[in-house]
Amino acid sequence: MTPTTPEAPVPPRPAYTPGSAQPRLNRPVRERYPQIRPTSGYGDPRIRHTGPGPGAGTEQEPERSSKLSARLALALTVVIGQLWGLTIVVDEWMAGDTGTAWWGAGFLVLSFLVVLGLWLIDPKDR
């Protein structure tokens, strides 16, 4: 396909067809998007390699990844413990044993502070 020069005649626009309030949107796709050509994509001879570049999909910082995985596992363990503790606290409260319920509430607050401490350990990982 030869590049268009300023001297080349411009083909006339097709007649307006209803479908949009803006007539410019009713033009054929090849006129609205001139950069899309039949050779775009898989048929383009300039494309020799497809897919991501070298090193894509490999772990770039394994130490950081293992540290984050360990912190995530610890945080999930604490959250599961909080759910279990909340179940015990609600059962004790409903049974009328408010003393045990308050100790359980203290456990839940302490668990929350542990998770907050894990979050505050390394602010650059957020």
Side-chain angles (χ1 to χ4, degrees):
M1 183 169 191
T2 60
T4 326
T5 60
E7 296 81 34
V10 178
R13 288 188 174 200
Y16 171 77
T17 55
S20 174
Q22 300 177 22
R24 66 183 181 85
L25 296 178
N26 293 318
R27 293 179 292 145
V29 173
R30 66 182 174 278
E31 289 182 17
R32 283 186 282 157
Y33 303 103
Q35 70 272 21
I36 300 176
R37 294 188 167 61
T39 58
S40 294
Y42 69 91
D44 195 334
R46 296 171 294 177
I47 299 175
R48 292 194 173 88
H49 304 288
T50 60
T58 59
E59 184 56 56
Q60 303 296 323
E61 298 180 57
E63 294 84 10
R64 180 175 179 265
S65 176
S66 64
K67 179 173 62 169
L68 291 176
S69 297
R71 284 174 42 193
L72 179 65
L74 187 57
L76 287 174
T77 303
V78 171
V79 167
I80 290 171
Q82 285 178 327
L83 291 173
W84 170 78
L86 184 61
T87 304
I88 300 299
V89 167
V90 169
D91 284 345
E92 293 298 322
W93 184 269
M94 291 297 190
D97 190 3
T98 56
T100 306
W102 283 112
W103 279 106
F107 167 77
L108 293 176
V109 169
L110 182 64
S111 298
F112 174 75
L113 292 176
V114 167
V115 172
L116 188 62
L118 288 172
W119 183 72
L120 292 173
I121 284 177
D122 203 358
K124 68 179 179 181
D125 279 339
R126 283 183 239 128

